[in-house]
Amino acid sequence: SYVLTQSPSVSVAPGKTAMITCGGDSIGTRDVNWYQQKPGRAPVLVIYSDTGRPSGIPERFSGSNSGNTATLTISRVEAGDEADYYCHLWHSRSDHDVFGPGTTVTVL
Amino acid sequence: EVQLVQSGAEVKKPGESLKISCKISGYNLMNYWIAWVRQMPGKGLEWMGLIYPNDFDTRYSLSFQGQVTISIDKSINTAYLQWSSLKSSDSAIYYCARGGNSSPFDYWGQGTLVTVSP
């Protein structure tokens, strides 16, 4: 099975930039999606297909994907960005969807 | 407006059966997969499996194969997740979501809390 890795936590000061990484074997060859989940709420899609941003998601959220690492970048971080963030992809070889373990973003 | 509305919280005993639902509206059901995702208390998201309403093609995670059944009733636009014999370890929040199988999960239900306790 395909395994995704994420750092458990990231801390960032308001106004600064948070970078959340998702590691996987040749992940750069796959489409990666990112979800934000706030406590007690359902996940929300914030980035799709590596760099796409759904309607209503601020431009402060961006994504990239190359080699063995996909990255979600949150610019000009705000208190409201505090949440868990999960990467996700579809692994064609196993025909399974896979989630990363999640990263908790704390705004200092 | 796309909406996935899930059934309410359940409290069950080990060994009991359960079927939770996800009522879908706002788009053509046939064109998208519907997935189920588990979130155990304080833990991350786990993909359980999904179903394609157009032809009932169903896939399961190896971790959940044989443990749950995913189904859909196209006549009432409702997807289901069911257990024949619950365990305490099935206590979790379960989400339905539109997408999967090469598509992002772009719409989610609000979640159904399942508590299994003696």
Side-chain angles (χ1 to χ4, degrees), chain B residues 12 19 28 55 59 61 68 70 74 80-81 86 96-97 111:
Chain B
K12 292 287 190 179
K19 192 173 189 178
N28 186 341
D55 60 5
R59 322 270 176 89
S61 162
V68 297
I70 294 170
K74 293 189 284 188
Y80 300 97
L81 177 66
L86 287 160
C96 60

Side-chain angles (χ1 to χ4, degrees), chain A residues 1 31 33 35 37 40-45 47-49 84 86 88 90 95-102, chain B residues 35 37 39 43-47 50 59-62 95 99-106 108-111:
Chain A
S1 61
D31 285 343
N33 310 301
Y35 305 88
Q37 187 181 31
R41 306 298 299 271
V44 173
L45 178 68
I47 293 290
Y48 65 92
S49 298
D84 293 327
Y86 296 90
H88 155 249
W90 176 63
D95 223 7
H96 280 25
D97 286 276
V98 182
F99 285 102
Chain B
V37 176
Q39 188 165 40
K43 302 298 184 183
L45 304 175
E46 299 176 85
W47 179 77
L50 41 57
R59 322 270 176 89
Y60 293 93
S61 162
L62 292 175
Y95 294 101
N101 191 15
S102 79
S103 297
F105 298 119
D106 56 356
W108 294 70
Q110 81 277 20

